[in-house]
Amino acid sequence: QVQLVESGGGLVQAGGSLRLSCAASGRTFTRYVIGWFRQAPGKEREFVAVISWSGGATYYADSVKGRFTASRDNAKTTVFLQMNSLKPEDTGVYYCASQRRTYYSGNYYPSDFDSWGQGTQVTVSS
């Protein structure tokens, strides 16, 4: 199991940027696929992005494609989510999650992941 801790959330105006971090503990971190999800009040948790264990492959939800970029630094056991051109509808609690199954380029469900961080709040004002 990998333990995950998110950071970097905050309040930003529409059009602004934030960079989220997901710090992991665990010696086999490099073998984990990492996903990003978000949950707005009263809504279900939704898929945002996923990155393969090597960092060589990523996939994004249509709603964030072209604005968000996932990356990872395996030496520092950290995954990042760079969020640009933020919109009010991007507001929510952002979670990173890990799983050891084979990466695929497509949308994921929360049930696809085994371990979760505690989340970090992102609020985008209009």
Side-chain angles (χ1 to χ4, degrees), residues 3-76:
Q3 287 75 50
L4 305 170
V5 178
E6 302 95 336
S7 62
L11 173 64
V12 64
Q13 287 188 331
S17 298
L18 283 174
R19 188 192 197 202
L20 304 184
S21 297
C22 172
S25 61
R27 291 183 297 174
T28 59
F29 172 74
T30 55
R31 299 298 183 185
Y32 286 81
V33 173
I34 302 295
W36 287 96
F37 288 77
R38 66 187 181 190
Q39 189 165 19
K43 294 188 177 182
E44 294 186 352
R45 194 168 296 189
E46 66 172 355
F47 168 74
V48 174
V50 64
I51 186 166
S52 65
W53 68 267
S54 70
T58 53
Y59 188 84
Y60 303 92
D62 288 343
S63 59
V64 307
K65 203 169 292 183
R67 300 188 297 122
F68 290 13
T69 303
S71 61
R72 67 192 293 165
D73 183 340
N74 284 338
K76 296 183 179 180

Side-chain angles (χ1 to χ4, degrees), residues 10-16 18 86-91 122-126:
L11 173 64
V12 64
Q13 287 188 331
L18 283 174
L86 283 162
K87 304 175 181 180
E89 51 264 43
D90 293 320
T91 294
V122 171
T123 303
V124 184
S125 64
S126 56

